[in-house]
Amino acid sequence: MELYGKEVSRLIEELSSLPGIGVKTAQRLAFYIIGMPEERANALAESITEAKKNIRYCKTCYTITDKEECPICSSPGRDHKTIMVVETARDMAAYERIGKYNGVYHVLGGVINPSQGIGPADIKLSELMIRLREDVDELIIATNSSVEGEATAMLISKMVKPAGIKVSRIASGVPVGGDLECIDEMTLLRALDGRVEL
């Protein structure tokens, strides 16, 4: 039985399909959107449509951006000889929040996970190896400390070591099984400062 009518039910259904949004939160959001002035609702809808249409991956580090190259990769003020490897753009944003890292990034787009059919060819490893042909002094591996994150870190280390590039891993201030995007800035800073060479 439809409680609110077809359009409201559809809006609630679409919102509840988003990660982390249950039915109650979807209802609350739907009612909020319905109560918004029309111009605000249109601006929200347009921003979603435009983002979907214009967002792409940075040609260098593979984070999301609306330009060919993201602001970090295109900045002459960043240390392009130090690359931090992260799983997702959200992990990159977590390190940018602390404001103490001045190098550049490489976003893998995930980690190796054989149980889900994700192998080395399914993440941006070959693109990383191409980047490392340039003048790079250090590669910091900042994957999550999950089993898959650790396995990915070890594979990257084995692939990079023969090139003579210093390879380090963020320190253990990050709890096992913790997601970088959810960790406070001080812990991230300690993990970065206490990184160890692999």
Side-chain angles (χ1 to χ4, degrees):
M1 177 178 131
E2 280 189 14
L3 228 81
Y4 309 110
K6 187 174 139 188
E7 293 302 323
V8 177
S9 295
R10 180 176 171 229
L11 179 57
I12 292 169
E13 185 181 324
E14 290 297 330
L15 290 169
S16 67
S17 70
L18 296 171
I21 306 289
V23 174
K24 287 184 180 180
T25 302
Q27 284 177 337
R28 199 167 35 252
L29 289 170
F31 293 144
Y32 181 80
I33 291 168
I34 291 165
M36 291 168 85
E38 191 170 340
E39 60 274 0
R40 285 216 43 232
N42 288 339
L44 175 62
E46 184 182 339
S47 70
I48 292 170
T49 304
E50 289 298 311
K52 187 64 184 157
K53 187 169 43 172
N54 296 318
I55 298 295
R56 63 185 83 157
Y57 292 105
C58 172
K59 71 174 187 171
T60 305
C61 75
Y62 299 95
T63 191
I64 54 173
T65 185
D66 58 356
K67 296 180 172 68
E68 193 172 334
E69 196 170 50
C70 76
I72 293 171
C73 288
S74 61
S75 171
R78 301 296 288 232
D79 174 9
H80 291 266
K81 292 184 176 191
T82 304
I83 299 174
M84 182 185 291
V85 178
V86 293
E87 292 179 25
T88 68
R90 292 186 311 267
D91 296 336
M92 183 181 104
Y95 268 101
E96 281 301 292
R97 273 198 319 267
I98 63 174
K100 298 290 183 186
Y101 175 69
N102 193 42
V104 293
Y105 297 89
H106 186 84
V107 180
L108 293 172
V111 286
I112 298 166
N113 189 338
S115 68
Q116 293 184 356
I118 302 169
D122 299 312
I123 59 177
K124 303 291 185 197
L125 278 180
S126 60
E127 292 84 349
L128 173 63
M129 296 310 291
I130 291 168
R131 283 185 76 184
L132 295 178
R133 292 179 190 156
E134 298 167 13
D135 190 15
V136 176
D137 292 336
E138 182 181 8
L139 186 73
I140 303 168
I141 303 174
T143 54
N144 288 313
S145 54
S146 62
V147 173
E148 297 82 9
E150 291 295 334
T152 303
M154 291 310 298
L155 177 63
I156 292 170
S157 177
K158 286 179 184 172
M159 291 170 69
V160 174
K161 279 266 186 179
I165 297 169
K166 178 182 175 185
V167 180
S168 59
R169 177 88 169 103
I170 56 172
S172 60
V174 178
V176 173
D179 286 329
L180 291 177
E181 65 179 292
C182 301
I183 296 169
D184 66 278
E185 286 85 356
M186 202 62 209
T187 302
L188 285 173
L189 183 57
R190 270 195 224 123
L192 178 61
D193 288 343
R195 66 187 182 269
V196 293
E197 189 167 350
L198 296 177

